[in-house]
Amino acid sequence: MPEHKRLRNLVSSAFTPKMINGMRDRIQEIADELLDEMEGKERVDLIDEFAFPLPIIVICEILGIPAEDRDNFRIWSNAMIEGSGGDYAGDIGQHMQAFVEYLGKRFAMLREHPADDLISRLIIAEEEGDRLTEQELYGVVSLLIIAGHETTVNLISNGVMTLLQHPDQLKLLKEQPDLIKKAVEEILRFEGPVEFSTSRWAGEDLEFKGQLMKKGDLVIIILNSADHDPEKFDDPEVFDITRKKSVHLAFGFGIHTCLGAPLARLEGEIAISSFFNRFPESRLGTAPDELEWRPGMIVRGVKELPVIL
Ligand code: HEM
C-alpha cells in the first residue's frame, strides 16, 4: 500500500524511539506540574486533572498547537470519537466544521511563519513537491490529534484504576519500581485503551475457528478479546505485572501497527509511576461497579475516575 507507506514515512521521523526518549525530561516535568496542582486536594477526578491533560500537552507541543486552544480540541476530538452516543452528539457536524476551520487557519499561519514543530515540517514537505496534498495534511494532522487525545488518557486512567483494584500488584510495583515497564505492558493487555484494530479485508477465502470468510470480507479484530485469549495467555483474567513476555495486540499489528506506541509507553510509564510516588496512599473514590464507561466502540476507558488522594 504505497500511499500509506508514503504518509507513514513522513510522520514517523517524529516518533522514533530516539526522538521520543529525548522527550523524557519534558514529559516528567509536565507530570510533576500536574501533580503539584493536585497537592492539598482530598479527592480528584484523575482524568480531568492528570490522565487527560498530560498526553494532550505532549501532542500539542509536538504538533505546535498553542496551549490556549487545547480545551477546544478536547471537545472536538470527543465529539468525533464518541459519535452519536456521546456528550456532544447533537453538535458533531458543528464541531467538525470548527475543527477543520481551526486547522485551516493554523496551516495558513504556519505557511507564512513556519516554526519548529511537526505541522510546519509537514507543510514544508507538502510545498516541496507532491509528497503531501492539502487533504492529506488535514487527514494526518487530525489523526495525530485524535490519537494523541483519546488513547493514552485511557492507558493512564485504566492503569491507575486497575492497580488500585489490585492492591497486591500495586504493592509489588511500589517495592520494585523497575517493574513499571512490565506493568504498562500488562495494563495494555488487561485493559487495553483501544477496542478495535483498523479495518482489514480477507485476502482470500479462509476458514477461521469454524467461521468462513470470503475474499474481500471486512474483518474487524477486537483487540481486547485477542488479549484475553486463553490459548495465548496463561490465566488471562489474572492481572499480573510480572507476566513473562507478553505479546499483546493493544497497539495492533503489521503495517498499521501504532505509530505512537513508543510515545504512549513512555507517557504511561512516567505518569503511572509518578502518580503513585506522589500519592502512595491513594484509593478509588467510588465502588468499581459505579464507574461509568465511555460510549462508542473505538476507545475503552471510564468517563471519570474519582480518586481519594
Ligand atoms: C496507549 C495509547 C495508544 C494505543 C493503545 C494505540 C493503539 C493503536 C491501534 C490499535 C492502532 C491500529 C493498529 C492496527 O490496526 O494494526 C493504532 C494506530 C495508530 N496510532 Fe495509536 N495508539 C496509542 C497512542 C497513539 C499516539 C500517542 C499516537 C500519536 C501521537 C498514535 C498514532 C497512531 C497512528 C498514526 C496510527 C495509524 C498507523 C497506520 O495506520 O499506519 N497512537 N494505534
Side-chain angles (χ1 to χ4, degrees), residues 193-303:
V194 174
E195 195 77 74
F196 295 152
S197 69
T198 49
S199 306
R200 265 57 170 189
W201 286 267
E204 57 193 57
D205 291 355
L206 63 104
E207 199 185 309
F208 181 70
K209 306 247 172 196
Q211 181 72 40
L212 185 64
M213 289 180 241
K214 291 264 193 214
K215 182 175 177 180
D217 276 355
L218 173 65
V219 181
I220 292 180
I221 298 138
I222 302 176
L223 303 168
N224 282 286
S225 174
D227 283 343
H228 286 250
D229 181 351
E231 285 179 24
K232 193 84 188 157
F233 300 97
D234 296 337
D235 300 321
E237 300 312 327
V238 174
F239 177 66
D240 175 5
I241 64 167
T242 64
R243 193 174 279 278
K244 282 204 293 298
K245 197 169 166 34
S246 167
V247 190
H248 59 71
L249 284 186
F251 289 120
F253 185 75
I255 60 164
H256 288 287
T257 193
C258 177
L259 194 87
L263 174 62
R265 285 187 159 112
L266 184 63
E267 289 178 337
E269 286 163 24
I270 293 177
I272 294 169
S273 52
S274 305
F275 173 75
F276 285 112
N277 280 341
R278 184 74 72 99
F279 299 109
E281 304 303 324
S282 54
R283 57 196 162 87
L284 267 188
T286 187
D289 57 3
E290 302 217 325
L291 290 167
E292 202 183 332
W293 290 77
R294 290 179 63 178
M297 310 264 282
I298 304 175
V299 291
R300 286 185 74 251
V302 290
K303 278 186 165 181

Side-chain angles (χ1 to χ4, degrees), residues 1 4-5 7-8 11 15 20 55 58-59 62-63 118 140 143-156 184 188 191-200 221 223 248-265 267-268 298:
M1 198 183 282
H4 167 256
K5 193 158 182 253
L7 289 175
R8 194 173 160 112
V11 184
F15 292 94
I20 297 307
V58 173
I59 193 70
I62 293 176
L63 289 168
L118 184 58
V140 168
L143 175 62
L144 291 174
I145 291 171
I146 294 173
H149 271 67
E150 302 290 340
T151 52
T152 316
V153 48
N154 298 315
L155 168 59
I156 300 170
V184 165
L188 284 161
E191 286 291 10
V194 174
E195 195 77 74
F196 295 152
S197 69
T198 49
S199 306
R200 265 57 170 189
I221 298 138
L223 303 168
H248 59 71
L249 284 186
F251 289 120
F253 185 75
I255 60 164
H256 288 287
T257 193
C258 177
L259 194 87
L263 174 62
R265 285 187 159 112
E267 289 178 337
I298 304 175

